[in-house]
Amino acid sequence: MWRTINTPAILSRCFSEAAQDVLEFQKMQKINLDRSWEYLELGFANVLNLTSSEYEWKKVDLPHDAVIEKERSEANPSGAGEGYTAGCSLYYKKELILDEEWQGKNLILEFEGIMGIAEVFVNGRLVAKHFNGYTSFLIDITKHVKFDDKNIIIVRVENTHKPSSRWYAGCGIYRHVWLHIGGKVYIKPWHLHVQTRAIENETAKLEVRAVVVNSVNEKVQGVIKFDVFSKDEKLILSSEEKFLIGKNEEKVIAKTLELKPFKYWDIEDPYLYKIQATIICDESIEDSASTLFGIRTISVDPKEGFKLNGKPLKLKGGCIHHDNGPLGSASYDRAEERKVELLKASGFNAVRLAHNPFAPAFLDACDRLGMLVIEEFFDVWHAGKVSFDYHLFFDKYWEEDLESTIMRDYNHPSIIMWSIGNEITWGVGVDVDDDSSYSIYTWCERLAKKVKSLDSSRLITAALCAIPDDYKRLFAIIEEGNYVIRMLKQEVDVIEDKWGEFSEKFSRFLDVVGYNYKVDRYGFDRYKYPDRVICGTETYPYTLFKNWKQTIENSNVIGDFVWTAIDYLGEAGLGRVSIEADDLKSFCGSYPWFLANCGDIDICGEKRPQSYYRDVVWGNRKDPYIVILPPQVYGKKLYFKPWAWEPVERNYTFPGYEGMKVAIHVYADADEVELFVNGRSLGRKEVGINTQFKMVYDTIYEPGVIEAVAYKDGKEIGRDKIETTGEPVALKLVPDREVISSSYGDLCYIKIMAVDRKGREVVFADNRIVVEVEGVGELVALGSSNPLSTEPFVSRERKLYKGRALAIVKSIGKKGEFKLKAWAEGLDGAQVFVKCI
């Protein structure tokens, strides 16, 4: 990446004071362009006419998702997949005045992501088109700008063609925009790479490669200097390489560096180094760039599994989509970082980016916090899954999008695997003898070879699902007590194993074969395909115990990735539960369903019951955990999708249901658990591996206190309790941080809760709340995790859901303090102060 580097102290060792002065004008700069845009919702128009006064442009700062601001409707053709959201046709405009000192420099725009078909115009001239909303792209605008007047950048975004996605995508310039300013000879953005070639005798052998571009019409001689810095910014290694570059040439300059001693990057201590490359021509600094990197090794083997830095590790993984809940798809750095923090706190050590590349800020957070990543390129190849998805453009642009992603993300130590596709078998033939140009096997080989040519240091995978020949035996009805789960069959047909034949041919080009919902094949395929390494790239949350047991017991399986770790917008109602069987006939839910409703963590960042169960199964929780099946549904036959969780709640307050039956569920890793209701024991019961760490007590609801005590070897090892609460009387506000950065765009997440007179959360409260922000903050979203709410996230008011809501406040770029106030009819209001420094 091109970054502004403050390096005078370092350069003084090599250059004169005069040379240091030159640095201030000739080093590479990367300037953020997120502020002061305008946008217009408009159908196709002549760009040259858009500057006239007849159009009423609205001011906006990026990142921006226009769809999250619009009303949802059952009539929207996006359907359940995109959460019944509207399409958009947008224009964005920015006036850009260039510094005179940049004349003669190279100017390159970087768009991290534009959701929709994008066209970029500079001063009325079309300079780029882009068709993939998830991939970043660069535009050299050097020849299209002027220095004697303002420059007008206009971006057209077209996303009215629906459906265009299987989940909520949003619309607009939803990630950062940058301007790179480089010297006449400069390091190409995204093209300063570091690779660990070998580790021998406690020495890390690093290969550094920089793509250098000569933009002048003559040969240039120079020196490129590589400096490596420790985590605390100390210079620890320096090396130089002379180069000669032809006129208008692009050249790769490589250098081998040896670092001793060194520190590994791993999930417990994610140590990051920085490398800076400086181009020196005629004893002057012409350009500079830097990037962070980590030193780590990865390997896989069917008998020894996955190893990080030579140590075996099972991947405790989760799949996530790109949206940020109440923010829609708008990608704020803090929102991306918070997702990684939530995952890390819930025991995950790996994440699968479904089903496209994510924002750089998310990967930066994974690097800093120690989260392993499977980065996926495509959900579709040449055959589509919905009418207007990327399959329309794949044939022409797959290579460009794949290459730009690898170049951009090459240095992230968190990335361990590239996934070339997700469930590509949808809607295509999988004849095992098919080698035609449109065969999925031909495409698999083509993509895999391309990835290896760009990056041989990482593993290649793809997520495989059921195939058309399996459809006749695809579904099964599984009854467990009063639960009826419509699930995919997990049986292995050893007589006519079509899936096995298909996967065998497909997997020839993969280092790791991704299995979606094929847990029951793990042991069978361990013997049938002894050289195959498997990863559970998608599994159901409700079968977590089996998923993890099979992952642990089979050395050929390197990890398990639940669908999903964090809930998301779109695929509405994927994880729904109903007392009516007919409600589950369709794949997704009918309007007003908005959320998938299947994540361990909800869209506001709160852990759901399945997440606490995961804590127990993974051995991360010693205390038992209590949840309750409410009396409203006790004894009724419940139908739920395989991505759902039983409708238990962390709640023991059911006004009007006294004397009715409830089921109290206890999750615990123990020998026994004992349940007390108002001090009265309901007896000890076995709990542990034999009961899949679950135990249920059927009893009569009586308000008061329930407490679970867990025992191992006859001794108490932990306890948990819930008590009945009173009526809500007040609101309580809890910010995730009391001090945030004053830099524009930092976020503060403020939890809003209804509490009773004793300060206890009242889960059944559904009061309508109103919020207001004063000072140096701006309210950007007010949300809840209600999967059926039609209330907009951009409003100042909404109803509490299960006693909670979430306000998200943005720093406006000024130091000081902001105050968030919240009130509701019949409740005492509350306020909280947050500093911006």
Side-chain angles (χ1 to χ4, degrees):
M1 297 175 67
W2 298 5
R3 299 181 180 175
T4 303
I5 307 299
N6 299 313
T7 55
I10 300 165
L11 293 168
S12 63
R13 300 185 181 97
C14 309
F15 309 111
S16 65
E17 290 293 328
Q20 292 181 51
D21 292 338
V22 171
L23 169 67
E24 297 305 314
F25 302 103
Q26 295 188 332
K27 67 186 178 185
M28 179 57 64
Q29 296 181 58
K30 181 181 177 181
I31 298 172
N32 184 272
L33 298 183
D34 287 350
R35 305 297 300 274
S36 303
W37 288 74
E38 296 175 285
Y39 80 104
L40 185 67
E41 186 165 357
L42 184 69
F44 193 85
N46 187 328
V47 171
L48 297 176
N49 296 334
L50 289 178
T51 55
S52 68
S53 59
E54 67 177 286
Y55 297 107
E56 296 182 4
W57 293 82
K58 298 178 182 178
K59 293 183 178 180
V60 68
D61 293 322
L62 305 180
H64 179 235
D65 175 11
V67 170
I68 208 67
E69 303 168 0
K70 301 172 74 67
E71 185 177 352
R72 297 192 301 125
S73 169
E74 186 175 12
N76 283 330
S78 62
E82 296 180 66
Y84 304 99
T85 51
C88 282
S89 181
L90 304 170
Y91 286 89
Y92 289 87
K93 180 177 69 173
K94 182 175 179 62
E95 295 182 357
L96 184 63
I97 298 176
L98 300 176
D99 195 312
E100 289 291 334
E101 293 172 341
W102 297 345
Q103 288 209 53
K105 308 297 181 186
N106 287 277
L107 307 178
I108 297 176
L109 279 178
E110 177 186 349
F111 289 91
E112 287 189 0
I114 302 176
M115 187 54 66
I117 297 173
E119 297 174 297
V120 181
F121 301 82
V122 176
N123 296 326
R125 181 176 295 177
L126 178 64
V127 296
K129 294 183 180 183
H130 195 71
F131 299 91
N132 190 325
Y134 296 96
T135 55
S136 303
F137 60 103
L138 302 167
I139 310 169
D140 190 331
I141 61 170
T142 308
K143 297 179 180 179
H144 306 295
V145 298
K146 48 193 175 184
F147 287 86
D148 57 351
D149 197 359
K150 63 186 178 184
N151 296 273
I152 306 296
I153 300 172
I154 291 181
V155 180
R156 170 172 158 76
V157 186
E158 178 57 56
N159 199 359
T160 54
H161 41 287
K162 296 295 176 182
S164 60
S165 176
R166 295 194 297 117
W167 54 86
Y168 178 87
C171 179
I173 309 178
Y174 73 111
R175 295 180 185 165
H176 296 311
V177 179
W178 304 91
L179 177 65
H180 299 270
I181 302 111
K184 294 177 181 179
V185 178
Y186 63 90
I187 298 169
K188 192 175 181 179
W190 306 343
H191 285 72
L192 173 60
H193 293 162
V194 182
Q195 181 178 344
T196 303
R197 283 296 187 185
I199 295 176
E200 299 173 355
N201 300 321
E202 299 182 350
T203 300
K205 295 184 177 180
L206 310 175
E207 182 184 42
V208 184
R209 297 184 302 277
V211 176
V212 176
V213 180
N214 178 14
S215 66
V216 297
N217 201 29
E218 59 183 23
K219 292 182 181 180
V220 175
Q221 273 190 326
V223 172
I224 186 166
K225 184 170 180 287
F226 296 109
D227 293 316
V228 178
F229 299 87
S230 64
K231 197 171 185 176
D232 55 0
E233 295 287 334
K234 292 181 180 178
L235 179 65
I236 55 177
L237 182 64
S238 186
S239 183
E240 295 182 357
E241 184 76 12
K242 293 181 180 179
F243 67 86
L244 173 64
I245 188 169
K247 59 182 181 180
N248 301 311
E249 184 185 0
E250 186 175 294
K251 186 173 188 175
V252 177
I253 300 175
K255 184 76 174 177
T256 299
L257 305 177
E258 292 190 354
L259 194 60
K260 182 180 181 180
F262 72 93
K263 292 195 68 173
Y264 279 109
W265 181 96
D266 62 37
I267 59 175
E268 300 301 330
D269 182 13
Y271 193 92
L272 292 171
Y273 293 92
K274 182 175 76 175
I275 188 163
Q276 177 181 306
T278 306
I279 294 177
I280 305 150
C281 299
D282 297 327
E283 299 186 350
S284 295
I285 296 173
E286 184 64 31
D287 200 60
S288 175
S290 74
T291 184
L292 300 176
F293 71 96
I295 299 172
R296 57 104 179 96
T297 63
I298 55 174
S299 64
V300 290
D301 180 270
K303 293 184 179 179
E304 297 186 350
F306 173 81
K307 289 184 179 180
L308 178 65
N309 302 326
K311 299 176 182 177
L313 179 70
K314 290 287 187 180
L315 302 180
K316 297 178 176 178
C319 304
I320 62 172
H321 271 307
H322 75 294
D323 73 74
N324 284 305
L327 295 169
S329 62
S331 178
Y332 292 89
D333 289 3
R334 172 57 188 160
E336 306 293 354
E337 178 182 60
R338 180 172 177 265
K339 282 193 290 194
V340 183
E341 289 177 349
L342 292 170
L343 292 168
K344 192 84 175 178
S346 288
F348 291 93
N349 62 25
V351 62
R352 173 175 171 240
L353 309 187
H355 297 291
N356 299 94
F358 275 33
F362 181 86
L363 296 170
D364 289 342
C366 290
D367 291 344
R368 290 194 306 274
L369 300 175
M371 180 68 66
L372 301 173
V373 176
I374 300 176
E375 184 163 22
E376 203 152 61
F377 298 119
F378 307 113
D379 184 50
V380 294
W381 292 350
H382 64 280
K385 294 177 181 175
V386 296
S387 299
F388 299 102
D389 62 19
Y390 183 71
H391 82 279
L392 298 173
F393 312 105
F394 175 81
D395 288 19
K396 188 171 182 179
Y397 295 106
W398 71 270
E399 197 165 13
E400 174 186 317
D401 288 327
L402 187 151
E403 184 170 348
S404 65
T405 300
I406 292 179
M407 293 300 100
R408 188 198 73 173
D409 296 340
Y410 191 94
N411 292 314
H412 291 288
S414 56
I415 300 174
I416 56 172
M417 277 188 264
W418 301 114
S419 173
I420 59 176
N422 171 64
E423 298 182 340
I424 299 302
T425 51
W426 279 30
V428 298
V430 290
D431 190 322
V432 293
D433 296 321
D434 184 7
D435 288 311
S436 68
S437 61
Y438 273 96
S439 162
I440 58 172
Y441 311 112
T442 303
W443 275 107
C444 181
E445 180 179 18
R446 188 176 296 154
L447 268 69
K449 285 183 176 179
K450 180 64 178 180
V451 172
K452 284 296 186 185
S453 72
L454 296 169
D455 180 12
S456 60
S457 69
R458 290 182 173 91
L459 305 166
I460 297 178
T461 189
L464 310 187
C465 70
I467 59 176
D469 284 350
D470 281 347
Y471 288 167
K472 60 178 181 258
R473 60 178 186 271
L474 190 61
F475 290 104
I477 299 297
I478 298 175
E479 295 204 29
E480 296 184 3
N482 288 324
Y483 301 148
V484 179
I485 316 168
R486 186 170 174 79
M487 301 190 70
L488 295 176
K489 271 190 175 181
Q490 302 294 326
E491 62 184 32
V492 178
D493 185 346
V494 296
I495 299 173
E496 186 181 14
D497 187 7
K498 289 286 188 180
W499 194 90
E501 294 178 58
F502 144 72
S503 66
E504 186 173 21
K505 188 168 184 180
F506 202 96
S507 65
R508 288 183 305 171
F509 315 108
L510 307 176
D511 301 308
V512 176
V513 185
Y515 279 37
N516 283 9
Y517 313 109
K518 292 284 185 182
V519 174
D520 284 345
R521 288 200 66 111
Y522 291 173
F524 178 80
D525 286 357
R526 179 180 177 183
Y527 296 99
K528 185 171 184 180
Y529 308 108
D531 296 327
R532 180 179 294 184
V533 177
I534 296 169
C535 182
T537 38
E538 284 182 32
T539 57
Y540 300 122
Y542 196 69
T543 57
L544 164 61
F545 178 84
K546 181 177 72 171
N547 304 341
W548 192 241
K549 185 172 183 288
Q550 289 295 312
T551 300
I552 293 296
E553 291 177 353
N554 289 285
S555 62
N556 59 325
V557 181
I558 64 172
D560 176 70
F561 287 75
V562 65
W563 190 270
T564 57
I566 300 176
D567 206 14
Y568 57 99
L569 310 181
E571 281 197 310
L574 181 73
R576 65 196 187 279
V577 181
S578 177
I579 59 173
E580 300 290 340
D582 287 350
D583 289 347
L584 270 64
K585 283 186 175 180
S586 61
F587 184 72
C588 288
S590 58
Y591 183 83
W593 273 97
F594 191 15
L595 312 183
N597 203 48
C598 62
D600 273 29
I601 300 166
D602 69 26
I603 65 163
C604 292
E606 302 293 341
K607 288 166 70 75
R608 301 170 75 209
Q610 66 200 60
S611 182
Y612 289 99
Y613 178 62
R614 185 176 303 280
D615 290 341
V616 173
V617 173
W618 279 353
N620 297 332
R621 182 182 177 93
K622 294 181 180 179
D623 292 326
Y625 189 76
I626 303 171
V627 287
I628 294 123
L629 184 70
Q632 297 95 312
V633 295
Y634 181 89
K636 295 181 179 179
K637 185 157 290 223
L638 298 173
Y639 299 85
F640 59 107
K641 304 293 283 187
W643 295 272
W645 194 259
E646 52 210 313
V648 291
E649 302 176 3
R650 179 71 170 177
N651 173 36
Y652 193 61
T653 306
F654 307 107
Y657 288 90
E658 292 79 5
M660 297 186 68
K661 285 190 174 182
V662 294
I664 300 172
H665 295 230
V666 182
Y667 307 149
D669 180 6
D671 296 331
E672 294 179 306
V673 67
E674 185 173 13
L675 187 73
F676 296 87
V677 177
N678 293 325
R680 184 180 70 258
S681 174
L682 299 189
R684 291 192 185 190
K685 293 186 177 183
E686 179 188 359
V687 67
I689 291 178
N690 292 337
T691 68
Q692 299 188 10
F693 302 120
K694 292 181 180 179
M695 182 46 60
V696 180
Y697 287 83
D698 294 302
T699 187
I700 301 298
Y701 171 60
E702 56 180 85
V705 179
I706 53 175
E707 189 166 20
V709 181
Y711 303 91
K712 235 174 197 179
D713 299 324
K715 297 180 180 179
E716 179 182 331
I717 60 169
R719 60 176 59 207
D720 185 31
K721 79 174 179 179
I722 309 179
E723 55 187 315
T724 305
T725 61
E727 292 291 322
V729 299
L731 294 176
K732 181 180 179 181
L733 307 179
V734 181
D736 68 331
R737 297 178 298 162
E738 295 180 348
V739 179
I740 68 172
S741 170
S742 61
S743 299
Y744 166 77
D746 197 9
L747 302 178
C748 183
Y749 287 77
I750 301 172
K751 188 187 305 182
I752 303 170
M753 300 175 290
V755 296
D756 66 7
R757 295 191 184 281
K758 293 184 178 180
R760 299 171 299 189
E761 282 193 63
V762 181
V763 177
F764 62 83
D766 61 356
N767 306 67
R768 178 165 293 279
I769 62 168
V770 181
V771 302
E772 183 177 87
V773 176
E774 299 175 356
V776 295
E778 176 187 341
L779 181 72
V780 288
L782 178 65
S784 76
S785 59
N786 184 351
L788 293 104
S789 175
T790 59
E791 299 170 299
F793 291 126
V794 294
S795 174
R796 289 179 50 238
E797 58 181 271
R798 76 180 300 119
K799 292 184 71 174
L800 296 174
Y801 178 67
K802 294 187 177 180
R804 290 184 176 183
L806 179 73
I808 306 175
V809 180
K810 174 176 66 176
S811 169
I812 61 174
K814 296 180 180 179
K815 292 184 178 181
E817 185 177 65
F818 72 78
K819 175 174 67 176
L820 181 132
K821 298 190 295 184
W823 60 91
E825 185 176 353
L827 304 181
D828 292 340
Q831 60 184 28
V832 67
F833 294 87
V834 175
K835 292 181 179 179
C836 299
I837 61 172

